[in-house]
Amino acid sequence: MASDGGRKQFWKRSGAKVPGSIQHVYGAQHPPFDPLLHGTLIKPGSKPPTTPVKLKKVSTFQEFESNTSDAWDLGDDDDELLAVAAENLNTEVVMETAHKVIQNHSKLQEQHKFQEEHLQEEKQEEFAQLTSVACGDNRLVKSVSEGHTSSSLDSASENSSMQRSQSLPQTSIPPLASGMADYSTSVTPALTEREASRLDKFKQLLAGPNTDLDELRKLSWSGIPKRVRPIAWKLLSGYLPANVDRRESTLQRKRKEYFAFVEQYYGSRNDENHQDTYRQIHIDIPRMSPEVLRLQPKVTEIFERILFIWAIRHPASGYVQGINDLVTPFFVVFVCEYIEEEEVENFDVSSLPEEVLQNIEADSYWCMSKLLDGIQDNYTFAQPGIQKKVKMLEELVSRIDEQVHRHLDQHEVKYLQFAFRWMNNLLMREVPLRCTIRLWDTYQSEPEGFSHFHLYVCAAFLVRWRKEILEEKDFQELLIFLQNLPTVHWGNEDISVLLAEAYRLKFAFADAPNHYKK
């Protein structure tokens, strides 16, 4: 066997450059060697030692590494410097430095915690001030306190606090729209860039002397911003004219006309001819959604008048269960015209001035009437419109997703058993109210949205649950699931996806009805 000297000779680097060798790249990891800075470490003129200074308590591998030279290493200067530096490090200094770092980190954490508690207290004080500020015209106005509090923290903590506040997203409080009251103590969330851009487009369109209704429909299809939804719905439903100069006179005339109907007909609600209609309305209103809104006596009173007047003025259909739900979206949207609150259904309607409530009631009546004019065959005797649409839904689903259709048929689930309510209430019992309002933005933008486009929305809605439907293997479980779909957490994004799929189905089938008929 060769001697240890021979093994050393194998690892020893020759003076010649090795082809393909890796050169040091000086940068963040390899700073350039400055002889002026490191002159004390290497004596001038002396050759670098072949073996680095031996460290204390080194391992066998470290000894082997220090006594060999790899052919890929062209210089040992950096290793020698590190070794010398390591030898000169004092363990006590290292431990002391580490202890200081830990102490500083702990202090910063305590300061951050104190600052967060301090900010929370300030927010609570502002919230208390918001609830206590009130001014004329029966309207509450948001007041944001900007009092400055002195801090006992040192300059280091102030700097860290400033850096934290700059890194956190800022919530801006938009000013209230002109003519709107604010009954809410909550802060309206700031609009995103896209939402602000869409709102500007709506405002520009509505600001003209004559609103382009075709352009308004195009903009509204993807959703209407909350601030302009009341005026947009009145225009899209045909309640208000496109000409700005005629709108105020139209509103006054229609509101006066509605309350003339109330004066003429509402007193006869307990007459023998009308008492059955009024009794049914009185029974159905407590079944409406949302629960918090329907339990308010003022809301019940308004809804009873709206539904009774409509039933008396439309004897061909009269009042039918399901019509009561169709008032709610209009009522809630028009309430938003006078308040600034995220959860309108939790708002105390009786706190609004009487004149405002009368305007909301009349506007809701006329817009609901415009809607029902297009789907009145849904509510005439035997409800032929709904029967026809349920049959069309069954045929459409059989072509869209034959597996789902066959699964329902195998378990003897009839479409009328779950889809009748979808057509009768326009999906209002299947999705939250906020989703219904977003859905109606598109319905009012579509030609025959409530009467025709709704069919494709129902088809897309059913197929949306195909996985869950196919997993159910029992008639009872299937029907319970289809009548209690898990949409409680749905939002605008879910509705947008549903509408996009419905539009795709309409594009494929609407102009080719024979395509989905067997």
Side-chain angles (χ1 to χ4, degrees):
M1 187 176 185
S3 63
D4 291 344
R7 186 182 303 171
K8 262 187 170 184
Q9 190 62 28
F10 172 76
W11 289 102
K12 191 86 173 167
R13 182 186 72 252
S14 65
K17 289 186 177 181
V18 180
S21 60
I22 299 174
Q23 300 284 345
H24 278 299
V25 178
Y26 289 104
Q29 293 182 338
H30 300 282
F33 180 73
D34 191 345
L36 295 176
L37 295 176
H38 302 86
T40 57
L41 297 176
I42 300 179
K43 296 179 181 180
S46 62
K47 293 182 179 180
T50 56
T51 306
V53 179
K54 190 174 182 181
L55 299 177
K56 295 179 181 180
K57 297 181 180 179
V58 294
S59 65
T60 306
F61 176 76
Q62 288 175 324
E63 291 178 357
F64 170 76
E65 184 182 32
S66 65
N67 287 305
T68 58
S69 298
D70 198 338
W72 295 105
D73 291 333
L74 293 183
D76 295 329
D77 292 342
D78 293 341
D79 295 335
E80 291 173 10
L81 289 174
L82 290 172
V84 173
E87 186 180 31
N88 293 333
L89 284 176
N90 190 327
T91 305
E92 294 180 358
V93 174
V94 172
M95 294 303 296
E96 184 179 356
T97 304
H99 185 63
K100 286 181 179 179
V101 170
I102 294 172
Q103 282 184 332
N104 290 337
H105 182 68
S106 300
K107 286 181 180 179
L108 284 174
Q109 283 186 327
E110 291 176 359
Q111 290 170 2
H112 290 168
K113 184 177 179 181
F114 174 78
Q115 290 166 8
E116 288 175 357
E117 292 175 353
H118 189 62
L119 289 172
Q120 187 66 25
E121 290 176 0
E122 287 183 348
K123 287 181 180 179
Q124 291 175 353
E125 291 176 1
E126 289 181 5
F127 183 82
Q129 291 180 8
L130 287 172
T131 58
S132 63
V133 178
C135 66
D137 196 22
N138 295 325
R139 300 179 180 186
L140 298 182
V141 181
K142 288 187 183 131
S143 172
V144 180
S145 172
E146 295 183 356
H148 299 282
T149 56
S150 59
S151 175
S152 60
L153 300 176
D154 55 14
S155 59
S157 66
E158 288 176 1
N159 291 336
S160 64
S161 176
M162 184 179 296
Q163 291 172 357
R164 284 184 72 251
S165 65
Q166 289 174 351
S167 65
L168 293 172
Q170 300 296 322
T171 303
S172 62
I173 304 175
L176 292 178
S178 175
M180 290 187 182
D182 180 22
Y183 292 83
S184 172
T185 57
S186 62
V187 178
T188 305
L191 297 176
T192 64
E193 185 177 350
R194 181 179 180 275
E195 290 171 341
S197 175
R198 281 181 54 77
L199 181 59
D200 288 340
K201 289 180 180 179
F202 273 93
K203 286 182 176 179
Q204 290 173 11
L205 183 61
L206 296 169
N210 288 283
T211 302
D212 186 343
L213 294 181
D214 289 335
E215 190 63 29
L216 181 61
R217 290 187 185 97
K218 290 178 184 177
L219 273 178
S220 302
W221 204 99
S222 300
I224 304 173
K226 182 180 177 182
R227 298 183 190 181
V228 295
R229 184 176 278 132
I231 181 67
W233 275 26
K234 291 172 186 176
L235 287 166
L236 292 170
S237 65
Y239 174 46
L240 282 185
N243 184 274
V244 175
D245 296 333
R246 294 174 50 212
R247 288 178 192 169
E248 188 59 33
S249 60
T250 301
L251 282 174
Q252 292 178 3
R253 176 172 55 83
K254 299 297 283 185
R255 289 166 179 171
K256 185 177 179 181
E257 186 178 349
Y258 167 74
F259 281 102
F261 294 153
V262 172
E263 186 177 352
Q264 181 180 356
Y265 298 115
Y266 196 61
S268 65
R269 62 188 181 279
N270 293 318
D271 291 354
E272 185 178 353
N273 294 336
H274 301 145
Q275 62 182 2
D276 290 342
T277 298
Y278 180 72
R279 186 185 300 113
Q280 189 62 54
I281 292 171
H282 192 72
I283 291 171
D284 287 348
I285 285 178
R287 302 172 181 170
M288 289 165 50
S289 178
E291 182 178 356
V292 178
L293 187 64
R294 72 179 183 234
L295 293 178
Q296 297 186 35
K298 195 66 179 177
V299 176
T300 301
E301 179 187 336
I302 290 171
F303 277 43
E304 284 180 355
R305 280 199 296 266
I306 291 174
L307 294 169
F308 183 78
I309 298 303
W310 189 89
I312 295 300
R313 287 187 48 79
H314 295 81
S317 61
Y319 173 75
V320 178
Q321 285 180 309
I323 296 178
N324 55 312
D325 280 331
L326 306 185
V327 184
T328 308
F330 290 114
F331 182 81
V332 169
V333 167
F334 296 152
V335 165
C336 291
E337 190 173 2
Y338 301 94
I339 70 170
E340 191 78 15
E341 187 161 341
E342 286 303 305
E343 298 295 333
V344 181
E345 52 264 40
N346 296 327
F347 174 73
D348 182 10
V349 174
S350 62
S351 62
L352 288 167
E354 188 62 30
E355 182 182 356
V356 169
L357 288 173
Q358 289 179 356
N359 293 342
I360 293 170
E361 180 178 343
D363 295 346
S364 299
Y365 169 82
W366 288 114
C367 288
M368 184 200 72
S369 297
K370 292 286 186 181
L371 185 160
L372 288 172
D373 286 347
I375 57 172
Q376 193 166 353
D377 62 338
N378 286 6
Y379 305 105
T380 54
F381 178 73
Q383 299 182 270
I386 292 179
Q387 302 276 354
K388 179 182 177 182
K389 285 167 188 168
V390 170
K391 182 63 177 175
M392 292 174 68
L393 176 65
E394 182 177 357
E395 294 173 349
L396 185 58
V397 173
S398 69
R399 306 300 291 175
I400 295 169
D401 196 325
E402 188 177 358
Q403 187 177 5
V404 168
H405 175 74
R406 191 167 57 248
H407 186 76
L408 294 174
D409 186 59
Q410 287 174 352
H411 292 86
E412 299 181 346
V413 176
K414 305 300 180 184
Y415 281 74
L416 269 176
Q417 293 171 327
F418 63 88
F420 182 89
R421 190 172 71 183
W422 296 8
M423 302 298 178
N424 193 49
N425 302 81
L426 298 177
L427 288 177
M428 279 199 61
R429 297 293 179 96
E430 320 310 319
V431 297
L433 178 60
R434 60 182 179 275
C435 296
T436 298
I437 291 173
R438 168 63 191 90
L439 197 63
W440 285 24
D441 287 345
T442 301
Y443 280 2
Q444 296 192 84
S445 307
E446 272 280 326
E448 300 179 329
F450 292 98
S451 61
H452 187 62
F453 186 64
H454 180 67
L455 169 68
Y456 300 97
V457 172
C458 289
F461 188 62
L462 179 61
V463 175
R464 160 69 177 77
W465 308 102
R466 75 180 312 274
K467 179 183 176 183
E468 292 83 355
I469 290 171
L470 295 175
E471 287 176 353
E472 299 292 347
K473 306 296 183 183
D474 177 71
F475 167 82
Q476 185 176 356
E477 295 299 324
L478 264 172
L479 204 56
I480 290 174
F481 174 76
L482 289 169
Q483 291 179 347
N484 299 276
L485 294 167
T487 60
V488 66
H489 298 297
W490 270 33
N492 286 348
E493 290 299 322
D494 301 282
I495 295 297
S496 296
V497 172
L498 181 68
L499 288 167
E501 177 62 16
Y503 185 81
R504 186 187 69 82
L505 295 176
K506 179 193 172 187
F507 184 80
F509 295 102
D511 296 328
N514 292 330
H515 184 57
Y516 66 75
K517 287 183 179 178
K518 290 183 179 179

